[in-house]
Amino acid sequence: MQKITVVGAGHVGATVAQYCALEELARQIVLVDIIEDLPQGKALDMWESAPVSLFDTRIIGANDYGPTEGSEIVVITSGLPRKPGMSRDDLREKNVEIAKLVTAEVVKASPDSIIIMVANPLDVMSWVAYKVSGFPKSRVMGMAGILDTARFRSFIAEKLDVSTEDCQAMVLGGHGDSMVPLPSYTSVSGIPLKQLMSEKDIDALVERTRKGGGEIVALLKTGSAYYAPGVAVAQMVESIAKDKKRILPCAAYLEGEYGIKDTFVGVPCKLGAGGIKEIIEVELTDEEREALHTSAELVKEQLALVEL
Ligand code: NAD
């Protein structure tokens, strides 16, 4: 891949750029922000780490979209993060305006790009990027599920005292407290979680996963998580850039899958060249299906408040 753009050179954006550079996922990464000199400074600092970290990806910073022209993937992280006491939905009004402006610029500079939305409230922002860009649904997606499953997996590994590598998990739904972790699709080296942990312990980890973002916000006090979100985005970029066809939970536009229409919500997607190649529909219990529908309805309530 030739060029990846990351819009927003804040905590998440800079972390995404760094992981993508470390993995040499493109020849060039452009970091864009409205704050003068900030993206240039962070880009230069990262580039100066290249001889030690051993990568040749060139990272540059910019305050306009000229240098981003022709990007194949654009990651949008521009927007306010949460502070203690805020829900992701509290960010909606401000971040919608930013997403509209940024998406319009992205379309002009990189009309064939794939957009990965990161700003919150994630499902709403993904929908805004989809509507404003006019891109096909395969080329607009949101990152949330990889982060939510990573949190669940890290808690499982800690509880069972096993390698994180062996912990697999699945989380569906909107990126909020209504997300739907699926213990029935969660396993450790292929062993169903239910054989390794009591129902009570699983429920406690599910609850911690739902509130995982808030746990970090409460600790950081001045912003939200960025290490785990950054690497989660890089995993999506890698699957697309290398056409790996990984099946990863992503926010995707649904047109009837899971009985849900006209909204973005987290579902397992096959990611490869061109973006979302397929949405995978897994069997759900009645209870899980109901929780997914409730989660999608909550996203739709937010969408109804958005003016495009
Ligand atoms: P941050 O404040 O550190 O960075 C945001 C950056 O966006 C700032 O540097 C700001 O100047 C820039 N920005 C604002 N308006 C812009 C515009 N019009 N054009 C270009 N840049 C602009 O925040 P952060 O911690 O990096 O978080 C960024 C967003 O990502 C937040 O909305 C946060 O809630 C979200 N987030 C999402 C997930 C997820 O799982 N999807 C995880 C973590 C954070």
Side-chain angles (χ1 to χ4, degrees):
M1 183 156 285
Q2 289 297 319
K3 201 189 283 185
I4 296 168
T5 285
V6 181
V7 184
H11 286 97
V12 178
T15 312
V16 170
Q18 189 183 21
Y19 281 122
C20 289
L22 286 170
E23 297 296 325
E24 295 188 314
L25 297 182
R27 293 185 66 79
Q28 191 181 51
I29 295 174
V30 186
L31 206 45
V32 178
D33 205 287
I34 43 170
I35 301 177
E36 210 175 307
D37 293 339
L38 176 79
Q40 291 86 345
K42 289 200 179 181
L44 180 60
D45 189 14
M46 269 181 234
W47 170 241
E48 288 169 357
S49 76
V52 183
S53 294
L54 302 179
F55 63 79
D56 285 309
T57 294
R58 191 76 180 85
I59 312 168
I60 60 162
N63 297 115
D64 67 283
Y65 288 78
T68 74
E69 267 179 27
S71 294
E72 287 130 291
I73 296 180
V74 178
V75 178
I76 302 181
T77 75
S78 46
L80 302 182
R82 281 197 286 170
K83 300 242 166 77
M86 288 174 93
S87 82
R88 293 180 178 91
D89 292 341
D90 292 335
L91 304 168
R92 193 192 62 247
E93 269 183 44
K94 258 249 66 81
N95 285 356
V96 163
E97 290 314 308
I98 294 173
K100 284 200 285 196
L101 289 171
V102 168
T103 304
E105 295 289 348
V106 168
V107 172
K108 265 190 262 163
S110 304
D112 299 320
S113 60
I114 293 166
I115 296 178
I116 302 178
M117 178 55 74
V118 185
N120 274 316
L122 190 271
D123 305 275
V124 177
M125 294 299 127
S126 305
W127 183 82
V128 169
Y130 172 64
K131 290 289 175 186
V132 172
S133 67
F135 286 0
K137 59 180 184 159
S138 56
R139 289 206 276 127
V140 184
M141 65 200 76
M143 187 293 290
I146 301 177
L147 171 63
D148 296 330
T149 48
R151 287 185 171 138
F152 195 23
R153 292 165 66 192
S154 69
F155 301 152
I156 292 167
E158 192 179 17
K159 179 82 190 163
L160 294 175
D161 192 23
V162 296
S163 167
T164 53
E165 277 178 48
D166 290 331
C167 299
Q168 288 296 328
M170 175 95 80
V171 174
L172 305 183
H175 185 48
D177 295 348
S178 70
M179 71 179 76
V180 189
L182 297 180
S184 51
Y185 287 98
T186 300
S187 61
V188 179
S189 221
I191 307 160
L193 187 62
K194 285 175 182 169
Q195 291 186 25
L196 299 168
M197 220 187 267
S198 71
E199 198 116 326
K200 190 165 157 270
D201 283 342
I202 294 176
D203 287 348
L205 297 193
V206 163
E207 197 48 25
R208 190 173 176 201
T209 302
R210 281 215 177 93
K211 305 210 163 113
E215 186 178 356
I216 304 277
V217 171
L219 290 166
L220 295 182
K221 295 185 181 68
T222 54
S224 53
Y226 51 98
Y227 293 115
V231 76
V233 173
Q235 191 169 62
M236 291 173 73
V237 171
E238 183 193 34
S239 195
I240 295 168
K242 296 185 180 169
D243 193 23
K244 283 178 77 82
K245 305 189 181 81
R246 293 205 57 180
I247 294 174
L248 298 167
C250 308
Y253 186 71
L254 299 191
E255 287 181 311
E257 298 89 345
Y258 291 95
I260 297 168
K261 262 191 185 161
D262 302 331
T263 189
F264 271 78
V265 79
V267 288
C269 297
K270 191 198 281 185
L271 284 194
I276 297 179
K277 292 179 139 348
E278 193 183 336
I279 291 172
I280 317 280
E281 287 193 71
V282 298
E283 276 179 30
L284 298 177
T285 63
D286 288 346
E287 203 183 325
E288 289 163 345
R289 184 167 280 268
E290 203 183 309
L292 180 60
H293 278 245
T294 303
S295 186
E297 281 310 313
L298 290 171
V299 176
K300 280 192 175 179
E301 281 174 22
Q302 291 291 317
L303 295 184
L305 302 171
V306 173
E307 276 179 42
L308 285 179

